[in-house]
Amino acid sequence: MKKITLNIEDIFNIPTSVIYNPDMFKSIYHVSIDSRNIKKNTLFIAIKGERFDGHNFINDVVKKGACAILINEKNYKKLSEVEVPVITVKDTMIALGDVAKLWRSKIKANVIGITGSAGKTTTKEILSTLLSEKFKVNKTVANNNNQIGVQLTVLSTNEKHNVLVAELGTNHFGEIPYTSAIVCPDLALITNVGDSHLEYLKNRKGVFTEKVAILKETIKNSGKVFINNDDKLLKEFGKKIKNKITFALNEKADYRAAIKGYDKLARPQIEIKNKKNVFSTTLPISGEKNVLNFTVA
C-alpha cells in the first residue's frame, strides 16, 4: 500500500513558500505541530500559540529526526546551521491549512463532514463506531473541531484508513467555509441549526449561513448531503438539492424515525423506516435528540 507523502513539488505549491537547503529534501510521511510527536520523515510546522511558540523548539525537533521545518519567514535569521530543509512562509497558521489541503488531495478514504449547533460530536461518535465494524476509520478526537483541530485531523489520516469522519465547529463567520474547503467532504451533514454563538453569528439565519457552507462545498464536489427535514431552514435548503438523503422524526423523509417507547433506563426504543426496510432497536443513549443523531448515522 503506497504511503501518503508530500514531495518537494507539493512544498513549492504552498503560497509564499521559500525553500532553503532543497538538495537535502526527503519525502514527508508525517506532519506535526507538536515537538513531542516527531517521527522519521516528519515535517514540523512551527505555530505560535497563546502559551508556546513552536519556533522555540526547532533545534529539538531536528535532533529528534524531523526531515524539514516550516517557519514564519521573520524567524529565519534566528536559525543557525540547521541541517534540514527550511521552508519559510508569511504565516504558518495559514500554511498549516495549505499543507492539510495538499494532504487531503492525496487521501483515498471517503471523507464525511459533520457540523451543527448541537449533536455533532455525538453523531460523529455514533457514526464512527458503526463504520468501524467494517472499515478502518479515522475521526476527530473529542471535539477538536476548530481551525487547528480540523487540519490536524486531516493530517492524521493515512493510507490505511477507509473513512475519515471530520467534525467542523465554528463561532465566527468564515470558519466553516474555510475548513470545508480543506476537508472537501464526499458526504456531509448539518445535524441542526440552533441559537449557538449568537455573539458573533447574530441570529439563527446567521448560524445557517455559516454552517450551510459544508453542504455547498460537498455539492460543488459532486458529493451527497444529508438533510434534517425537522429543521425548517435545512428542509427549505434541501428542496433545491438533488443528490440528498433526508431524515426526520416528525416530518416526511427518506428515513423517518419513530419513538415506540422507553426501556427501564429511559433509553428510547425506536423504529426507522424507509421505502424498503424497517429497522428497530433500543438506543444505548437517552434523549429524544439522540434519536435523530442515531438515525442519520
Side-chain angles (χ1 to χ4, degrees):
M1 187 179 295
K2 189 176 180 181
K3 292 179 72 70
I4 296 175
T5 63
L6 297 178
N7 55 42
I8 196 165
E9 288 80 12
D10 293 320
I11 301 304
F12 276 121
N13 284 327
I14 298 172
T16 77
S17 66
V18 177
I19 305 176
Y20 298 88
N21 304 328
D23 54 318
M24 302 176 70
F25 189 89
K26 298 178 182 178
S27 293
I28 294 165
Y29 296 155
H30 312 282
V31 180
S32 179
I33 64 169
D34 190 336
S35 62
R36 299 167 297 178
N37 297 329
I38 302 299
K39 306 175 185 177
K40 187 178 179 182
N41 293 95
T42 294
L43 167 66
F44 175 71
I45 301 179
I47 301 293
K48 185 176 181 180
E50 293 181 2
R51 297 176 59 194
F52 300 103
D53 185 346
H55 294 87
N56 295 330
F57 300 94
I58 297 299
N59 290 330
D60 290 341
V61 301
V62 172
K63 288 178 182 177
K64 289 179 179 180
C67 67
I69 57 174
L70 193 154
I71 63 172
N72 282 325
E73 58 188 16
K74 64 181 180 181
N75 292 84
Y76 181 68
K77 292 181 180 179
K78 299 177 184 177
L79 298 179
S80 61
E81 299 180 358
V82 174
E83 296 183 352
V84 297
V86 177
I87 304 146
T88 65
V89 293
K90 287 186 177 180
D91 188 330
T92 54
M93 273 291 291
I94 295 173
L96 175 63
D98 294 327
V99 172
K101 197 164 187 177
L102 282 168
W103 196 268
R104 167 64 182 96
S105 70
K106 298 170 184 280
I107 290 173
K108 302 299 182 184
N110 286 302
V111 178
I112 303 169
I114 298 175
T115 191
S117 296
K120 55 185 176 291
T121 301
T122 302
T123 303
K124 178 230 1 177
E125 292 296 333
I126 296 171
L127 179 58
S128 300
T129 300
L130 292 171
L131 289 172
S132 64
E133 290 292 315
K134 188 174 181 181
F135 303 105
K136 180 72 173 176
V137 178
N138 191 31
K139 65 177 181 178
T140 300
V141 176
N143 63 342
N144 195 16
N145 58 25
N146 60 21
Q147 290 205 53
I148 290 181
V150 172
Q151 286 88 317
L152 296 181
T153 300
V154 171
L155 290 167
S156 70
T157 307
N158 61 44
E159 64 282 348
K160 295 178 182 178
H161 292 116
N162 307 115
V163 181
L164 166 61
V165 184
E167 178 183 335
L168 281 61
T170 182
N171 54 24
H172 287 79
F173 283 115
E175 291 180 340
I176 295 293
Y178 176 68
T179 52
S180 293
I182 291 171
V183 171
C184 291
D186 300 297
L187 306 164
L189 159 72
I190 301 174
T191 54
N192 49 58
V193 178
D195 297 324
S196 57
H197 304 295
L198 298 189
E199 66 272 29
Y200 300 110
L201 300 180
K202 305 301 182 184
N203 52 42
R204 190 169 292 196
K205 286 188 176 180
V207 176
F208 169 78
T209 298
E210 171 67 8
K211 292 187 180 297
V212 80
I214 194 173
L215 303 185
K216 291 180 177 179
E217 181 68 31
T218 306
I219 294 165
K220 184 177 78 175
N221 296 316
S222 302
K224 181 168 287 188
V225 300
F226 293 75
I227 300 293
N228 178 358
N229 271 1
D230 283 350
D231 187 294
K232 291 181 180 179
L233 290 172
L234 292 173
K235 182 181 180 181
E236 188 61 30
F237 179 80
K239 290 178 180 179
K240 308 168 188 175
I241 303 170
K242 291 182 179 180
N243 197 17
K244 68 185 176 189
I245 292 176
T246 59
F247 65 101
L249 184 59
N250 301 308
E251 299 290 325
K252 291 181 179 180
D254 297 322
Y255 288 82
R256 188 171 182 182
I259 300 173
K260 296 298 184 180
Y262 295 87
D263 69 3
K264 293 180 180 180
L265 296 176
R267 297 177 302 190
Q269 297 166 323
I270 70 166
E271 182 179 84
I272 301 171
K273 289 183 178 181
N274 69 356
K275 290 181 179 180
K276 298 181 179 179
N277 300 298
V278 178
F279 174 79
S280 299
T281 191
T282 299
L283 296 190
I285 48 180
S286 60
E288 183 177 307
K289 295 293 184 183
N290 283 322
V291 174
L292 276 184
N293 295 335
F294 179 85
T295 298
V296 70

